Amino acid sequence: MFPNAGNGGYDVQHYGLTLDYTPSSNQLTATAVISALATQDLSSFNLDLRGFAISRLLVDGRAASFTRDGGQELTVTPRPGILAGTTFTVTIDYAGTPTVVVDPDDSIEGWVPTDDGAFVVNEPQGSPAWYPCNDNPRDKATFDFRVTVPAGLTALANGVLVSNSTIGGKTTWVWRETDPMSTYLATTTLGKFDLEISSVGSIPSYVAVDPQLAKGQILSKLPEAVTFFESIYGPYPFNAVGAIVDDAKVVGYSLETQTKPNFPYVPDELTLVHELSHMWFGDSVTLTTWPDIWLHEGFATWSEWIWSERQGNKSAAQYFKQYYNTPDQQTAFWGPAVANFLDPALLFNGTVYYRGAMTLQALREKIGDLAFFQLLKDWATQNRYGNVTTPQFIALAEQKSEMDLTAFFDTWIFQEAKPTIW
Ligand SMILES: [Zn+2]
């Protein structure tokens, strides 16, 4: 779907990102230190980066030559070359105006300026708008962020807060993500925030809300929602939990950035639990290729339904019925087939959310609660921090249920027609 995103020949282990951002001029001055393992002999390799002027590029401390293609390909030629099986470090100093990326479906992402900072979300291809990377969801890595902003602003990022210190009118916020993370799940949303630090059990919790917004009561449901999803999906997968609530209506959608989902306004309860459930399905257990995105969105939408059901509100079966019975002309979710489309403009089509969730509810009714809930827990546990495919999910569902589900999944996710019998 995004042929320029991602590169081969190496596996990134860690990103160390040092960013200095001035909101008034929308200028970013940065250094990225990328540690990677060569998976083949490399005479050259590519990274993804959009725009910026590169003032220095080193490989293992030595200046390396590089070329840009005007798009997002940054080709680096180290001297000497790199041998398969060795680790190497790329250091890149770069500066300029970060990019707002427009996707094939016209949604925007990347580094989006707000009235007091920036809202930073990257699914699926926004990361190279602000840092050089191997922009492929399969190449997970750990991250360190050192973000300097004018004093009075808060720079957020994934993982735990290590320190913040103010010198000469600037504050540097240091965050550390020690769990593996796909590049599109990184964030450094920054601006004016009320940051509340607490814990959910033993997990540190960071809830940041733009003071211009009325906070309300919804965010206080976060600990209960963590406990609830742990009870059905297994242990919370990451070292921190939280939420970033900004005033960013121009972006208009929420994103499950790892450990701290970004919300462009105060979320309602179902949006809050949707993004939280993505920590298990999307962030920890991540697709291998984008056409399998129902493994994220179908699961997160069904998670809203089971939350509602266990709260004593509308049940998942009632949600299923409501969507199934919606007149055809009022729906945008029967087509394309859930797991059988290649047009990137359709990546966030209603089908992956609603028909994806209906697929899970139909599966629950077919194989029974015992096998179904064991399936979800095993899926989350066995694939923790990994990348998965739809055939792997079908195989595990067949193993847990001891049933042949070929026809079921064919009807529900590979054929476009509305399922009538399954
Ligand atoms: Zn989602």
Side-chain angles (χ1 to χ4, degrees):
M1 286 188 175
F2 305 97
N4 295 324
N7 307 284
Y10 63 93
D11 177 12
V12 176
Q13 314 289 304
H14 184 76
Y15 293 91
L17 303 178
T18 301
L19 312 175
D20 188 321
Y21 182 64
T22 307
S24 58
S25 58
N26 192 21
Q27 287 297 298
L28 183 65
T29 302
T31 299
V33 180
I34 303 169
S35 311
L37 172 69
T39 54
Q40 61 184 64
D41 289 346
L42 296 171
S43 55
S44 69
F45 59 90
N46 279 23
L47 288 161
D48 299 300
L49 182 67
R50 293 174 183 248
F52 297 109
I54 296 175
S55 57
R56 189 176 67 140
L57 195 155
L58 309 176
V59 176
D60 289 334
R62 264 185 262 191
S65 61
F66 60 91
T67 56
R68 317 280 312 263
D69 75 341
Q72 69 178 55
E73 295 306 323
L74 163 60
T75 304
V76 181
T77 306
R79 198 153 302 182
I82 298 159
L83 293 175
T86 59
T87 53
F88 61 101
T89 303
V90 188
T91 304
I92 303 174
D93 292 343
Y94 59 102
T97 307
T99 317
V100 176
V101 178
V102 181
D103 280 324
D105 65 2
D106 290 330
S107 62
I108 59 169
E109 67 198 52
W111 191 285
V112 183
T114 58
D115 58 3
D116 58 12
F119 190 76
V120 184
V121 291
N122 318 305
E123 191 184 29
Q125 53 168 351
S127 303
W130 58 280
Y131 71 100
C133 57
N134 184 26
D135 196 23
N136 186 319
R138 289 192 291 278
D139 192 354
K140 296 189 180 194
T142 54
F143 283 69
D144 278 300
F145 303 88
R146 241 186 129 72
V147 189
T148 301
V149 289
L153 299 189
T154 302
L156 301 152
N158 314 86
V160 299
L161 180 61
V162 176
S163 67
N164 65 323
S165 55
T166 302
I167 301 169
K170 287 186 164 191
T171 305
T172 298
W173 296 79
V174 180
W175 296 87
R176 180 163 294 156
E177 175 52 279
T178 52
D179 293 318
M181 179 164 78
S182 297
T183 47
Y184 78 92
L185 294 169
T187 187
T188 50
T189 289
L190 51 91
K192 289 199 177 93
F193 285 100
D194 293 329
L195 174 61
E196 201 176 290
I197 303 176
S198 60
S199 63
V200 177
S202 60
I203 309 164
S205 170
Y206 306 90
V207 175
V209 182
D210 188 319
Q212 290 184 60
L213 302 172
K215 190 175 168 188
Q217 296 302 309
I218 295 300
L219 292 162
S220 64
K221 298 251 183 187
L222 193 57
E224 183 190 351
V226 171
T227 306
F228 170 70
F229 287 127
E230 285 194 311
S231 75
I232 57 172
Y233 300 148
Y236 180 78
F238 300 120
N239 59 353
V241 67
I244 299 169
V245 182
D246 201 356
D247 185 359
K249 290 177 203 73
V250 61
V251 174
Y253 60 85
S254 305
L255 187 70
E256 63 269 26
T257 36
Q258 192 159 304
T259 70
K260 293 176 198 70
N262 269 274
F263 301 93
Y265 33 68
V266 179
D268 60 22
E269 187 173 317
L270 291 183
T271 305
L272 181 74
V273 300
H274 176 109
E275 301 306 336
L276 176 66
S277 72
H278 271 309
M279 297 304 115
W280 285 263
F281 304 115
D283 293 19
S284 170
V285 181
T286 307
L287 50 68
T288 303
T289 58
W290 291 111
D292 273 342
I293 198 168
W294 83 280
L295 295 172
H296 300 182
E297 300 306 345
F299 283 60
T301 303
W302 187 84
S303 294
E304 297 174 39
W305 299 357
I306 191 67
W307 165 264
S308 168
E309 178 176 319
R310 296 291 170 83
Q311 295 275 309
N313 299 320
K314 195 192 238 179
S315 69
Q318 288 169 320
Y319 272 107
F320 178 97
K321 218 174 193 171
Q322 175 201 325
Y323 284 108
Y324 190 82
N325 292 333
T326 307
D328 284 6
Q329 63 273 22
Q330 291 172 28
T331 67
F333 53 77
W334 290 118
V338 175
N340 195 12
F341 65 96
L342 290 170
D343 178 354
L346 296 174
L347 188 56
F348 299 101
N349 193 287
T351 192
V352 299
Y353 293 82
Y354 301 107
R355 188 166 164 175
M358 291 165 72
T359 300
L360 290 179
Q361 181 59 22
L363 179 65
R364 177 187 179 187
E365 289 167 14
K366 187 167 186 76
I367 71 177
D369 272 11
L370 197 62
F372 179 76
F373 283 97
Q374 195 59 51
L375 166 64
L376 292 187
K377 195 175 259 186
D378 287 359
W379 180 245
T381 308
Q382 292 173 11
N383 298 301
R384 178 180 265 226
Y385 307 140
N387 293 88
V388 290
T389 64
T390 294
Q392 287 175 319
F393 180 70
I394 295 172
L396 191 63
E398 292 189 326
Q399 187 197 323
K400 292 295 152 196
S401 64
E402 298 178 347
M403 291 166 75
D404 179 352
L405 298 168
T406 311
F408 173 87
F409 281 106
D410 187 57
T411 300
W412 270 100
I413 63 174
F414 294 119
Q415 301 298 329
E416 182 155 345
K418 177 176 177 175
T420 51
I421 190 163
W422 60 85

